[in-house]
Every structure is written in C-alpha cells, then in structure tokens.
Amino acid sequence: MNQTVSRALLYGGAVAALAGIGIGMAVVESEADTMTMLSSADVQLRLAYGIPATDKNGQPMPAREQMIRESIDLLERAEKATPGMAVTAEFRGFAHMLQGEFAEAAVCYARARDCDDCGDEQRDVLAFNEARMLRRAGRHEAALATFEEHAVALDSRFGAQRRIEQAAVLRETERHAEASQVLASVLADTTVEPMAWVQAGQELMLLGDTAGAETAFRQAVEQAPLADYYLAQLKLAAGEVDSAFESLERAVAGAPADVRRLVREDPDAWQRLAGDERFQELTGHVPASPGR
C-alpha cells in the first residue's frame, strides 16, 4: 500500500471523529479535558509514527518510545474521564501498532467499532486496520474473514485497496491462484486509481508472475510514473539493461523524489548498476562532476 493511502487509513477515522467531538465537548469542562488529552495523544502518536523504531545499530529510539508511553498515559486518563469513546480505543490500537503489538492493536480496533459513537467512516477505517493488524500478527484466516465481512463497505470507500491487501494475505498463505484471481479483478477494473494497478503489479512480482506484473505496470504507466520504476526493475532482472535504463529515466522524469527514495530503500534491486556512472547520476547516488 502506498504511503498516502496507508497514512489516511491509519489516521482517517480517528481524526474525523476527533474533529467532530470538539464541537460538542466545548461546553462541558470534563469532556473538554478529555478532548485536550486526546489531541495531545494524537500529536505524540503522529510524531512517533514518523520516527524509525530503531537506529542504524538496531537500538530502540528513546524519543519515540517516550512519545508512545506518554500517549498511552494520556489515553488511559481520557478513558477514565470519558469511558467508551471510539477515538480513544482507536488511538490505543495505533499505539499498540507502533509497539509491534499487532494482535492487541486488532483487538482495540474491533472494540472501537463497537462503540456507540463510532461513525460509518471511522468504522470502515477500523475494519480495514483490524484486518491489516491481524495479518501482521500472523492471523491470516482472521484477516481474510474480516476483509470478506466488510468487503462491500471497504470497496465503496477505498476502491481496490481491500482486494490488494487480501491478495497479499492469500499470497502469504500460499494460495497463489486465488491471489492471482483477486489481482486480475483489480487490473480489469477501470474505475480504480492507476496506482492500484501499480500495487497489483508489485504483488504479481512477489507471486513470481513477471508477465502479469509487466502488463499491470504498462497499464498504469501513462498516469502513474512509478509504474516505470518497477518496470525498470523487471527489465533489469531479465538482463535487459538498456530497457531498464529507458524505464528508469522516464520514472525519474515523472517522479524524481519518489524514485530516488525508492532506490535508496531497495539498493539490492539495483546492485547490478551500482557502479554505473549513468545510474549514479540519474538516481543521485553520487554528485555530478563540476560543470556537467
């Protein structure tokens, strides 16, 4: 899942609910205090989300851990002050997720869905995140069941994202034929965002279906520059270096910052070109010579 969608799902329901809470809470002092605590917890969680869990030596980041602890303390106080609010349970699930406690996060998201003040949009976000956390906790069948139970609502709100996530779970459980069928439905859907086709292509790559992946990327390439980035990876893996460069050049032209970030994050995929001067200049691995 791309970062924009991922962050929208993680924050969307709680933020919408929090904004709505503020209107009705301002007239009641105890509830206003709850609003303040929830807003503070929200800030701490967002900051923690933007910090890596460990440093370059694999050690936990103290600042991040402190932010999470402080947010949990605020959430516990908010729950005591105003029990049973969906946003409190959702934020608690988010804190569990940041701590790598995915099963516990799923439980919190499920609990938040059952709260009386949970709205439709927040409920859909929670169902999506519950399934994602179940997947990360290794509870694949429960994740699939959650996706299926809420498929209609999730598809109407999030387009192809449910199908792409579900295909990933199927792949992880060695149900490759089923995963391919789900991804085929995404590629056949002309109503989805082109980036959904890119995501489907990435899943097809992981399934070992390079032909299917290439079809997906070419389908998306006119509207989603990152499709060319992944197409370049496919061509390089197939030994077609010139074609790989052509695709990579188009990708850099269309989305330079994103492509250079992806190259930095996945150096192994480009190891074959690491010493190539043209590749270095194209991706910003080394500064260009003066005057060039």
Side-chain angles (χ1 to χ4, degrees):
M1 178 177 298
N2 66 61
Q3 289 186 350
T4 301
V5 172
S6 180
R7 287 174 181 169
L9 288 169
L10 284 169
Y11 297 143
V15 170
L18 196 56
I21 291 166
I23 298 171
M25 294 178 100
V27 297
V28 182
E29 184 176 357
S30 63
E31 291 185 340
D33 290 342
T34 301
M35 180 64 179
T36 299
M37 288 186 283
L38 289 172
S39 296
S40 297
D42 179 30
V43 171
Q44 296 281 52
L45 292 171
R46 287 170 180 265
L47 290 171
Y49 182 64
I51 299 174
T54 59
D55 61 21
K56 62 182 180 180
N57 297 316
Q59 298 301 310
M61 300 287 277
R64 180 180 185 273
E65 293 191 322
Q66 181 177 349
M67 289 174 188
I68 296 172
R69 286 194 301 269
E70 290 177 356
S71 70
I72 292 172
D73 179 64
L74 287 165
L75 293 171
E76 289 175 348
R77 290 161 55 194
E79 177 64 22
K80 289 179 181 178
T82 311
M85 295 175 61
V87 65
T88 309
E90 181 173 4
F91 281 158
R92 189 65 183 90
F94 188 30
H96 277 303
M97 186 275 290
L98 291 174
Q99 293 177 306
E101 299 167 350
F102 305 121
E104 292 85 349
V107 169
C108 287
Y109 291 144
R111 184 168 68 247
R113 283 197 292 110
D114 291 334
C115 291
D116 292 338
D117 66 336
C118 188
D120 291 341
E121 179 181 357
Q122 186 180 13
R123 187 172 288 108
D124 292 340
V125 172
L126 288 163
F128 203 111
N129 283 332
E130 179 186 352
R132 293 172 67 200
M133 293 302 101
L134 288 168
R135 173 192 172 191
R136 295 185 70 178
R139 298 181 57 191
H140 294 94
E141 292 303 321
L144 290 171
T146 302
F147 277 133
E148 288 291 350
E149 179 183 354
H150 302 278
V152 174
L154 296 181
D155 290 356
S156 66
R157 197 177 295 279
F158 304 126
Q161 291 304 319
R162 188 271 308 176
R163 285 175 284 172
I164 292 169
E165 290 273 342
Q166 190 164 335
V169 180
L170 291 167
R171 169 178 54 79
E172 290 168 354
T173 53
E174 304 296 326
R175 295 159 65 175
H176 291 181
E178 292 176 70
S180 295
Q181 289 178 350
V182 173
L183 294 171
S185 76
V186 175
L187 296 181
D189 190 344
T190 59
T191 68
V192 303
E193 293 291 328
M195 272 305 299
W197 294 335
V198 177
Q199 291 173 270
Q202 291 176 268
E203 275 298 318
L204 288 164
M205 286 177 66
L206 293 171
L207 284 169
D209 183 357
T210 55
E214 181 169 350
T215 297
F217 296 142
R218 291 196 181 282
Q219 183 169 313
V221 75
E222 290 187 6
Q223 297 169 280
L226 287 182
D228 256 321
Y229 170 83
Y230 294 107
L231 190 57
Q233 283 192 338
L234 281 181
K235 292 303 180 182
L236 183 61
E240 301 176 32
V241 176
D242 289 340
S243 294
F245 265 117
E246 290 173 5
S247 293
L248 189 60
E249 286 170 352
R250 289 195 299 268
V252 170
D258 286 335
V259 169
R260 287 166 180 154
R261 172 181 56 79
L262 288 169
V263 169
R264 290 195 302 271
E265 292 175 354
D266 190 15
D268 291 344
W270 303 101
Q271 189 61 40
R272 182 173 178 178
L273 299 181
D276 189 294
E277 184 177 353
R278 181 163 53 138
F279 174 76
Q280 293 171 347
E281 292 184 4
L282 185 62
T283 60
H285 264 44
V286 295
S289 299
R292 182 171 298 173

